[in-house]
């Protein structure tokens, strides 16, 4: 991906280096630090991508033709953030998982085939999206989508969208850039305020 004039462009190449196709996913980023943010996610015959304005698109992997798109900022009444949405989404068995952190939803599951909303977890009032990539964790029959908002780390049931837990992590710069890291049954997270950064842990299936 990369910005090309007024558009965000997505390119596909053959293994010999020839361009297979070029597609676009909305507008380019004109704010601080121009350029694309999130990576593409490939699942079967589909490519999924979120641009810096929260537009989530599904493209045909063979041709680049757009199958569907959802403006998550508009749909879930969310605000963009200082350096643009950086949502490296997770593609699950049936869903595309994203974190708009808006007034209508914290995290959402979009149907992979249609883009329709399958579940939306309750919002965290006053919080916005941040820059950290999420995790999808399985423990027995429980599956958790673990992600970050601007001042919290949270766990959501990946099948229902139920908000399971939150851990406040207010930081002066309102930036959580470190992706959660799973070790055994423990999740470690940190933030981007050096003088106040700390690690804490959440026992999956236990109290935070």
């Amino acid at each position: 991906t990369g910005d090309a004039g007024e558009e965000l462009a997505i390119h596909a190449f053959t293994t010999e280096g020839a361009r297979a196709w070029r597609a676009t996913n909305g507008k380019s980023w004109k704010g601080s630090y121009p350029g694309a943010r999130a990576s593409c996610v490939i699942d079967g015959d589909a490519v999924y991508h979120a641009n810096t304005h929260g537009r989530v698109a599904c493209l045909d992997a063979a041709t680049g033709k757009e199958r569907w798109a959802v403006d998550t900022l508009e749909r879930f009444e969310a605000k963009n953030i200082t350096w643009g949405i950086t949502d490296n989404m997770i593609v699950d068995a049936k869903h595309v998982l994203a974190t708009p952190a808006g007034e209508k939803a914290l995290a959402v599951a979009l149907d992979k085939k249609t883009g329709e909303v399958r579940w939306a977890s309750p919002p965290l009032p006053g919080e916005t999206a941040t820059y950290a990539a999420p995790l999808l964790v399985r423990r027995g029959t429980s599956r958790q989508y673990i992600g970050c908002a601007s001042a919290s780390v949270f766990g959501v049931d990946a099948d229902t969208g139920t908000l399971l837990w939150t851990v406040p992590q207010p930081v002066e710069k309102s930036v959580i850039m470190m992706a959660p890291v799973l070790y055994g049954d423990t999740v470690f997270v940190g933030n981007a305020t050096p003088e106040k950064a700390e690690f804490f842990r959440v026992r999956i299936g236990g109290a935070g």
Side-chain angles (χ1 to χ4, degrees), residues 110-129:
L110 306 176
D111 186 280
K112 289 199 305 186
K113 300 296 185 182
T114 66
E116 294 180 3
V117 179
R118 292 307 181 192
W119 56 250
S121 62
L124 293 180
E127 294 205 39
T128 61

Side-chain angles (χ1 to χ4, degrees), residues 31-44:
S32 285
Y33 302 103
R37 301 289 192 266
S39 300
C40 291
V41 181
I42 300 174
D43 181 69

Side-chain angles (χ1 to χ4, degrees), residues 5 9 14 19 29 33-34 50 55 69 93 114 122 131 157 161 166 175 177 180 191 193 197 200 208:
T14 69
R19 179 181 292 168
W29 177 249
Y33 302 103
R55 186 180 192 269
T114 66
Y131 307 94
D157 187 296
T166 62
V175 175
M177 301 178 72
N191 66 59
T193 305
F200 61 87

Side-chain angles (χ1 to χ4, degrees), residues 3 7 66 122 130 159:
D3 285 348
E7 299 175 321
E66 185 172 286
T130 189
D159 297 307

Side-chain angles (χ1 to χ4, degrees), residues 112-154:
K112 289 199 305 186
K113 300 296 185 182
T114 66
E116 294 180 3
V117 179
R118 292 307 181 192
W119 56 250
S121 62
L124 293 180
E127 294 205 39
T128 61
T130 189
Y131 307 94
L135 285 176
L136 184 60
V137 176
R138 180 188 293 274
R139 283 292 178 268
T141 59
S142 174
R143 301 189 322 135
Q144 286 191 34
Y145 178 61
I146 299 175
C148 301
S150 54
S152 296
V153 180
F154 63 84

Side-chain angles (χ1 to χ4, degrees), residues 131-133 148 169 175-181 188-192 198-199:
Y131 307 94
C148 301
Q169 195 177 26
V175 175
I176 299 176
M177 301 178 72
M178 177 181 287
V181 177
F188 294 89
V189 295
N191 66 59
E198 62 179 348
F199 288 96

